[in-house]
Amino acid sequence: MKNSLHHIISASQFKKSDVFRYIANARRFRTESAESSVSTRFQGKTVVNMFYEPSTRTNCSFQAAAHKLGCNVISLTEAASSSKKGESLEDTIRTLGCYAEAIVLRHPERGAAHRAAKASRIPIINAGDGNGEHPTQALLDVYTIYEELAAFGLNIDSPLTEITVCFVGDLKNSRTVHSLVYLLGLLANVRFIFLSPKSLEIPQMLADIQIANGHQVLINTMSLDEALPLCDVLYMTRIQKERFATEFEYETVMANRRDYSIDGERMERAKQQMIVMHPLPRLDEIAEEVDKDPRAAYFRQVENGLYMRMAILEQLLEIHASIYVDNPMHANSSSSLSGEQHNT
Amino acid sequence: MKNSLHHIISASQFKKSDVFRYIANARRFRTESAESSVSTRFQGKTVVNMFYEPSTRTNCSFQAAAHKLGCNVISLTEAASSSKKGESLEDTIRTLGCYAEAIVLRHPERGAAHRAAKASRIPIINAGDGNGEHPTQALLDVYTIYEELAAFGLNIDSPLTEITVCFVGDLKNSRTVHSLVYLLGLLANVRFIFLSPKSLEIPQMLADIQIANGHQVLINTMSLDEALPLCDVLYMTRIQKERFATEFEYETVMANRRDYSIDGERMERAKQQMIVMHPLPRLDEIAEEVDKDPRAAYFRQVENGLYMRMAILEQLLEIHASIYVDNPMHANSSSSLSGEQHNT
Amino acid sequence: MKNSLHHIISASQFKKSDVFRYIANARRFRTESAESSVSTRFQGKTVVNMFYEPSTRTNCSFQAAAHKLGCNVISLTEAASSSKKGESLEDTIRTLGCYAEAIVLRHPERGAAHRAAKASRIPIINAGDGNGEHPTQALLDVYTIYEELAAFGLNIDSPLTEITVCFVGDLKNSRTVHSLVYLLGLLANVRFIFLSPKSLEIPQMLADIQIANGHQVLINTMSLDEALPLCDVLYMTRIQKERFATEFEYETVMANRRDYSIDGERMERAKQQMIVMHPLPRLDEIAEEVDKDPRAAYFRQVENGLYMRMAILEQLLEIHASIYVDNPMHANSSSSLSGEQHNT
């Protein structure tokens, strides 16, 4: 049971109680940060950020989070690593496990984090694996929804609360959306509204899970203008050109991009007590003029990422220490290299 | 008034008293460094180095300076960041402001640092914006001139001191020269000698400002051989191929590159009490044999960069702390995202 | 005499007593690590990792080692540095010497580390120079052999001990093999077995040195199957495509790559008390199934790298401190720039 938390691979590994424990810890770090308290608790521990794809937010927030816990950080990109020489992901992970206490991994292939976890003797945190999952983004998104809706008197930890969350854009390929939809379904009574071009619809399996769990799911049954007055949370995403097989398909979708974008005028249709979120980076799906609207929560969402990632790292480093401190020579047992004991 | 120091964007934002305060602080750090004293004063603070162009000196010296103040550093390049996904500079800056206490920015576009400062809620330090400015290089250059000429009995903080400074090379595109000429004009009575190929002359506006301030300005009125015996400071620069529209123009200039270069023999024409400076990297405009000449100050100039950048970071982090500590939740006020309160 | 240890350039600079002192210190760090003790001994010191070629193990283990000694780390790649602007290696090294207390250098050109040391006023550690040397890898390899064979009752610090070490693969271009063969020859009575394709044989000079020192040297006198039962240490290497002049030569060699590879079946021919080593990364010369064999020592070898690099950095930082603390203004003497005083 405990083992299932050695790695952070998928939103589906969390129970409701796990999520609220992370939220409580993230809130504690926010308070401590406001008091400028400095931690040396994990001094001498090392976190490796191994990013095979570019990233600003996820990479920097994990680095900042590790620093604020007192850890050292080693930051690697594919270009600077031995993967250029044909080394397998597994061998790279086994190597990094000799120098560090946790690995934050972003990789272009779906399933890469799971493969890494199987090979690793230290905790792996999935920071995005292709069009698979992005569970730490989902946790920080849930934390943001929790904080922001609480300010409106909506408490998502109550079974009586009902909220409407509308996802807009590329719902097929967004790993962030996949992970978040799963987590939200655990926490509250949610009406999901999914709005996307036909070719970028939410995977049917994900929708079916939410329906089976008793949530209401509406896929492209209305326009964004019709959905806006209903939303407690509007979750925007970027439509990525590289996801399309042909230029023609992309152009077809983008011809209607206004249907999946917001600006100041459109925001007039939304409630006063609602929030707009976006995992960022954005292109033009949110006009810059919306930034000044108090309902624009996406930069507060960025800041919440720092505290949530501190909470995630804290828990993994504590579990890791409790397992390994008693057996410091574990590295020299060949069985530890198979990594099976960590397999979730 | 105080706000004008929240960011370091342009040499033109400094008054004479600002420059001498920075010099005094840099000298203090040099003394402390000699005593191997270690600071933990800004422990828990984070500085982000965001470099969209390559750099060895500026990047490393800011990293080393931040470390020596007890800060953590996150180092980003364009290739590893979300700018690859089409994110605007402003959104990247807003994001980094959620994780750090200061941003050091190098960018290929003139004006980028100013745009960044408008969007940022934390201090921006312009570490070079295209062919615009490089104000921290100018500060360390002035510090170097102050220290080195003081050893010859020339005190540039006295209104009675007159010095001759000769700039050589690409004076049109060198952001370092632009920032330094401005600062020097504030501090002492300077005779400026500008020597360059015709197509790379100092911008007329910069020369006019110095003339209006009562300084003597000589643009290509003599050869380098004629100028050398007059110089207290000889400031060499690199002629960069990429600045030329055609290969032919470049070749034409380089055919005469001996006119803008020095070697051991030519140095015999210079005074015994003078210094040679260069922002580096150099190509062949200073022969390696000159390195052993005690007048070659360019590697002492490099070291001075460390102490000056400590002085700059110290001041920004102190101002930042005094503003924000009392209002730690500033991030959640949407108005703070417009960044206008920081606009210089 | 003392000066010869200011830099780590070549395995040939070490005496037998040096090697065993490094091993003793590495073992001490392993013990301290097991006790989770945290060092702040070199707090405020900075190590620069300057890697002109990609690396996972060497780069990360030096970063982790520096952190564990309490140092700060600045990590640079060629793409992000001024070498892109035509700066010489020497000038880059002189610059880094103004910000740091040691430089770890990987460079594609043989002899680069020696050139760097001549220009440097702070210690240079050669982390691989083209097909030249990789002395810190050799030290960690010797440390691994020492530890692992001691468990079998073979003490390589005794002049009576005789061991058989078989090197397999590209023995012409592997800098790791070159450095290790040299060191091993100092320490024990060694029977060297070299197995490689004809075009990738061990340089004759290296073999001759070992023969002159009284060791037995066998170059391609048997097959890997014949050698396996004799080995105390089997040292595998990767055959690198980029080393071949033509695709045809490479394909010819690779047609016989089974002759230079091991798998579980082949390992049945080896003794029970022997170890398999590899500097990594590996391609297919060691099948993954071998990882579970207790004789597979290559990931223990990786971990040993951390402790050995702590021992190396510790010694250099101590020597550096003892020389420079008394003369903190050394930077301002032009003679220190020539670097000749560091030349080994």
Side-chain angles (χ1 to χ4, degrees):
Chain A
M1 222 37 207
K2 201 175 168 191
N3 271 0
S4 67
L5 288 177
H6 283 189
H7 305 287
I8 307 284
I9 306 302
S10 160
S12 66
Q13 76 187 76
F14 301 122
K15 298 194 301 289
K16 184 171 176 173
S17 59
D18 294 327
V19 176
F20 283 113
R21 191 184 56 248
Y22 281 122
I23 289 177
N25 289 334
R27 301 189 84 201
R28 172 170 50 86
F29 282 119
R30 168 183 277 279
T31 305
E32 287 175 13
S33 170
E35 293 162 355
S36 288
S37 72
V38 173
S39 175
T40 55
R41 184 154 151 218
F42 294 105
Q43 206 175 3
K45 302 297 179 200
T46 300
V47 173
V48 174
N49 267 25
M50 177 82 229
F51 276 63
Y52 289 84
E53 285 185 328
S55 161
T56 297
R57 265 154 296 280
T58 309
N59 190 349
C60 285
S61 70
F62 267 113
Q63 288 198 51
H67 284 145
K68 284 186 194 300
L69 292 170
C71 297
N72 299 309
V73 176
I74 296 174
S75 180
L76 273 187
T77 60
E78 184 182 24
S81 82
S82 288
S83 58
K84 284 282 170 201
K85 305 175 194 165
E87 181 166 63
S88 72
L89 174 64
E90 284 81 357
D91 275 7
T92 298
I93 293 294
R94 285 177 193 117
T95 292
L96 298 178
C98 297
Y99 309 133
E101 277 74 29
I103 298 170
V104 180
L105 178 70
R106 168 160 296 184
H107 199 280
E109 287 168 31
R110 185 186 191 108
H114 184 71
R115 281 169 51 210
K118 285 180 72 169
S120 183
R121 72 187 198 197
I122 62 171
I124 299 288
I125 300 173
N126 180 3
D129 61 330
N131 67 351
E133 289 221 43
H134 196 350
T136 67
Q137 177 76 40
L139 284 171
L140 78 89
D141 286 346
V142 164
Y143 170 39
T144 300
I145 293 170
Y146 176 91
E147 286 278 9
E148 299 274 339
L149 296 196
F152 306 149
L154 282 168
N155 296 305
I156 64 168
D157 52 354
S158 155
L160 301 176
T161 301
E162 296 191 1
I163 62 172
T164 297
V165 183
C166 177
F167 290 88
V168 179
D170 180 351
L171 309 183
K172 181 181 172 197
N173 297 299
S174 169
R175 55 196 176 200
T176 293
V177 169
H178 301 172
S179 292
L180 177 56
V181 164
Y182 182 88
L183 276 198
L184 272 180
L186 287 184
L187 304 186
N189 295 311
V190 185
R191 175 164 55 176
F192 289 100
I193 301 176
F194 296 111
L195 303 183
S196 70
K198 193 74 192 151
S199 60
L200 301 175
E201 277 188 356
I202 189 89
Q204 189 60 44
M205 199 188 67
L206 268 176
D208 288 346
I209 291 172
Q210 300 311 323
I211 292 166
N213 287 339
H215 301 290
Q216 194 181 344
V217 173
L218 301 167
I219 302 179
N220 284 334
T221 59
M222 65 186 89
S223 70
L224 179 50
D225 279 338
E226 289 163 336
L228 267 169
L230 308 174
C231 295
D232 297 301
V233 177
L234 176 67
Y235 199 101
M236 304 294 293
T237 69
R238 178 170 58 108
I239 296 178
Q240 296 171 253
K241 188 171 183 178
E242 60 271 30
R243 303 301 191 187
F244 292 84
T246 65
E247 180 85 11
F248 177 75
E249 282 178 64
Y250 176 68
E251 294 301 339
T252 307
V253 164
M254 292 310 276
N256 301 308
R257 73 172 172 282
R258 266 280 299 156
D259 297 348
Y260 308 101
S261 303
I262 58 167
D263 56 18
E265 193 188 332
R266 193 163 251 174
M267 280 298 291
E268 290 175 14
R269 308 180 71 93
K271 294 192 287 189
Q272 275 312 303
Q273 295 204 325
M274 60 83 73
I275 56 169
V276 180
M277 297 176 70
H278 193 301
L280 305 179
R282 66 169 155 184
L283 298 179
D284 61 359
E285 60 275 2
I286 302 180
E288 273 215 39
E289 67 198 25
V290 178
D291 296 2
K292 290 175 192 143
D293 188 318
R295 296 170 291 185
Y298 30 91
F299 287 109
R300 299 194 292 272
Q301 190 182 353
V302 170
E303 186 174 357
N304 289 336
L306 174 62
Y307 306 119
M308 180 51 79
R309 277 149 184 162
M310 289 178 78
I312 291 165
L313 282 173
E314 176 192 47
Q315 172 157 325
L316 288 177
L317 291 170
E318 275 175 353
I319 294 174
H320 182 67
S322 71
I323 295 173
Y324 287 101
V325 154
D326 297 334
N327 180 20
M329 302 307 278
H330 64 100
N332 279 358
S333 82
S334 62
S335 68
S336 77
L337 293 172
S338 74
E340 296 302 326
Q341 77 275 27
H342 291 306
N343 199 350
T344 58
Chain B
M1 224 34 209
K2 203 176 168 190
N3 271 359
S4 66
L5 289 177
H6 282 189
H7 305 288
I8 307 285
I9 305 302
S10 161
S12 67
Q13 77 188 74
F14 300 122
K15 296 194 302 289
K16 184 171 177 174
S17 59
D18 295 327
V19 176
F20 282 112
R21 191 183 57 248
Y22 280 122
I23 289 177
N25 289 333
R27 302 191 84 201
R28 173 170 50 86
F29 282 120
R30 168 182 278 278
T31 305
E32 287 175 14
S33 171
E35 293 161 355
S36 288
S37 73
V38 173
S39 174
T40 55
R41 184 153 151 221
F42 294 105
Q43 206 174 4
K45 303 297 180 199
T46 301
V47 173
V48 175
N49 267 25
M50 178 82 230
F51 276 62
Y52 288 85
E53 286 186 328
S55 161
T56 297
R57 266 155 297 280
T58 309
N59 190 351
C60 285
S61 70
F62 267 114
Q63 288 197 51
H67 283 144
K68 284 186 194 301
L69 292 170
C71 297
N72 299 308
V73 176
I74 297 174
S75 180
L76 273 187
T77 59
E78 184 181 24
S81 81
S82 289
S83 59
K84 284 281 172 202
K85 306 176 194 166
E87 182 166 62
S88 71
L89 174 63
E90 283 82 356
D91 275 7
T92 298
I93 293 294
R94 284 176 193 119
T95 292
L96 298 177
C98 297
Y99 309 133
E101 278 74 29
I103 298 169
V104 180
L105 177 71
R106 168 161 297 185
H107 199 280
E109 288 168 32
R110 185 187 193 109
H114 184 71
R115 280 169 51 210
K118 284 180 72 169
S120 182
R121 72 187 198 196
I122 62 172
I124 299 290
I125 300 173
N126 180 4
D129 60 331
N131 67 350
E133 289 221 43
H134 196 349
T136 67
Q137 176 76 39
L139 284 171
L140 78 88
D141 286 346
V142 164
Y143 170 40
T144 301
I145 292 169
Y146 175 92
E147 286 278 9
E148 299 274 339
L149 296 197
F152 305 149
L154 283 168
N155 296 305
I156 64 168
D157 51 355
S158 154
L160 301 176
T161 302
E162 295 191 1
I163 63 173
T164 297
V165 183
C166 175
F167 290 88
V168 179
D170 181 352
L171 308 184
K172 179 182 171 196
N173 298 298
S174 169
R175 54 197 177 199
T176 294
V177 169
H178 301 172
S179 292
L180 177 56
V181 165
Y182 182 88
L183 276 197
L184 272 180
L186 287 184
L187 304 186
N189 296 311
V190 185
R191 174 163 57 176
F192 289 101
I193 302 176
F194 296 111
L195 303 182
S196 69
K198 192 75 193 151
S199 59
L200 300 175
E201 278 187 355
I202 189 87
Q204 190 60 44
M205 197 189 67
L206 269 176
D208 289 345
I209 292 172
Q210 300 311 323
I211 293 167
N213 287 339
H215 301 290
Q216 193 180 346
V217 173
L218 302 166
I219 303 179
N220 286 334
T221 59
M222 66 185 89
S223 70
L224 179 50
D225 279 338
E226 290 164 336
L228 268 169
L230 309 175
C231 294
D232 298 300
V233 177
L234 175 67
Y235 199 100
M236 304 294 294
T237 69
R238 178 171 58 108
I239 295 178
Q240 295 172 254
K241 189 172 183 177
E242 60 270 31
R243 303 300 191 186
F244 292 84
T246 67
E247 180 85 11
F248 177 75
E249 282 179 64
Y250 176 69
E251 295 301 337
T252 307
V253 164
M254 293 309 277
N256 301 309
R257 73 173 172 282
R258 267 279 299 155
D259 298 346
Y260 308 102
S261 305
I262 57 168
D263 56 18
E265 193 188 331
R266 192 165 253 174
M267 280 300 291
E268 290 175 15
R269 308 180 72 93
K271 295 192 287 189
Q272 275 311 304
Q273 294 204 323
M274 60 82 71
I275 57 170
V276 180
M277 298 176 69
H278 193 302
L280 305 179
R282 67 170 156 186
L283 298 178
D284 60 0
E285 60 274 3
I286 302 179
E288 274 215 38
E289 67 198 24
V290 178
D291 296 2
K292 289 174 192 142
D293 188 318
R295 296 171 292 185
Y298 30 93
F299 287 109
R300 300 194 291 273
Q301 190 182 353
V302 170
E303 186 174 357
N304 289 337
L306 175 62
Y307 306 119
M308 181 51 80
R309 277 150 183 159
M310 290 179 77
I312 291 166
L313 281 173
E314 177 191 48
Q315 172 157 325
L316 287 178
L317 291 170
E318 275 175 353
I319 294 174
H320 183 65
S322 70
I323 296 173
Y324 286 103
V325 153
D326 297 334
N327 180 20
M329 302 306 280
H330 64 100
N332 279 357
S333 81
S334 61
S335 68
S336 76
L337 294 172
S338 72
E340 297 300 328
Q341 77 275 28
H342 291 308
N343 197 349
T344 58
Chain C
M1 222 37 208
K2 201 177 168 191
N3 271 0
S4 68
L5 288 177
H6 281 190
H7 305 287
I8 306 286
I9 305 303
S10 160
S12 67
Q13 77 187 75
F14 300 122
K15 296 193 303 287
K16 184 171 176 172
S17 59
D18 295 326
V19 176
F20 283 113
R21 190 183 58 247
Y22 280 122
I23 289 177
N25 289 334
R27 302 190 83 200
R28 172 170 50 85
F29 282 119
R30 169 183 277 278
T31 305
E32 288 176 12
S33 170
E35 293 163 356
S36 288
S37 73
V38 172
S39 173
T40 54
R41 185 155 149 219
F42 294 105
Q43 206 176 3
K45 303 297 181 200
T46 299
V47 174
V48 174
N49 266 25
M50 177 82 229
F51 275 64
Y52 288 86
E53 285 185 328
S55 162
T56 296
R57 266 155 297 279
T58 309
N59 190 348
C60 284
S61 70
F62 267 114
Q63 288 196 50
H67 283 144
K68 284 187 195 301
L69 292 170
C71 297
N72 299 308
V73 177
I74 296 174
S75 179
L76 274 187
T77 59
E78 184 183 23
S81 82
S82 289
S83 59
K84 285 282 171 200
K85 306 176 195 166
E87 182 166 62
S88 71
L89 174 63
E90 284 82 356
D91 275 5
T92 298
I93 292 294
R94 286 177 193 117
T95 292
L96 298 177
C98 297
Y99 310 133
E101 277 75 29
I103 297 169
V104 180
L105 178 71
R106 168 159 296 183
H107 198 279
E109 288 168 32
R110 186 189 193 107
H114 184 71
R115 280 169 51 209
K118 285 180 71 170
S120 183
R121 72 186 198 196
I122 62 172
I124 299 289
I125 300 174
N126 181 4
D129 60 331
N131 67 350
E133 289 221 42
H134 196 349
T136 68
Q137 177 76 39
L139 284 171
L140 78 89
D141 286 346
V142 164
Y143 170 40
T144 300
I145 292 169
Y146 176 93
E147 285 278 10
E148 299 274 338
L149 295 196
F152 305 149
L154 282 168
N155 295 305
I156 63 168
D157 50 354
S158 154
L160 301 175
T161 302
E162 296 191 2
I163 62 173
T164 298
V165 184
C166 176
F167 291 89
V168 180
D170 180 353
L171 309 183
K172 179 181 173 198
N173 297 299
S174 170
R175 55 195 176 200
T176 293
V177 169
H178 302 171
S179 292
L180 178 56
V181 165
Y182 183 89
L183 276 197
L184 272 179
L186 288 185
L187 303 186
N189 295 310
V190 185
R191 175 164 56 178
F192 290 100
I193 302 177
F194 297 111
L195 303 183
S196 68
K198 193 74 193 153
S199 59
L200 301 176
E201 278 187 356
I202 190 88
Q204 191 59 44
M205 197 189 67
L206 268 175
D208 288 346
I209 291 171
Q210 300 311 322
I211 293 167
N213 287 340
H215 301 288
Q216 192 181 348
V217 174
L218 302 166
I219 302 179
N220 285 333
T221 60
M222 66 186 87
S223 71
L224 179 51
D225 279 337
E226 291 164 334
L228 267 169
L230 309 173
C231 294
D232 298 300
V233 176
L234 176 66
Y235 199 99
M236 304 294 294
T237 68
R238 177 170 58 108
I239 296 178
Q240 296 171 251
K241 189 172 183 178
E242 61 270 30
R243 302 300 190 187
F244 292 85
T246 67
E247 179 85 11
F248 177 75
E249 283 180 63
Y250 177 68
E251 294 301 338
T252 307
V253 163
M254 292 310 277
N256 301 308
R257 72 173 173 281
R258 267 280 297 156
D259 298 348
Y260 308 101
S261 304
I262 59 166
D263 56 19
E265 194 187 329
R266 192 164 254 173
M267 280 299 292
E268 290 175 14
R269 308 179 72 94
K271 295 191 287 190
Q272 275 311 304
Q273 295 203 324
M274 60 82 72
I275 56 169
V276 181
M277 298 177 70
H278 193 302
L280 304 179
R282 66 170 155 185
L283 298 178
D284 61 359
E285 60 274 3
I286 301 180
E288 273 215 40
E289 68 199 25
V290 178
D291 296 0
K292 288 173 194 144
D293 188 317
R295 295 170 292 184
Y298 30 92
F299 288 109
R300 301 195 290 274
Q301 189 182 352
V302 170
E303 186 175 357
N304 289 337
L306 175 63
Y307 306 119
M308 181 50 81
R309 278 153 181 157
M310 289 178 78
I312 291 165
L313 281 173
E314 176 191 47
Q315 172 157 324
L316 287 178
L317 291 170
E318 275 175 353
I319 295 174
H320 182 66
S322 71
I323 296 172
Y324 286 103
V325 153
D326 298 334
N327 180 19
M329 303 306 280
H330 63 101
N332 280 356
S333 83
S334 61
S335 69
S336 77
L337 294 171
S338 73
E340 296 302 325
Q341 77 275 28
H342 291 308
N343 198 351
T344 59

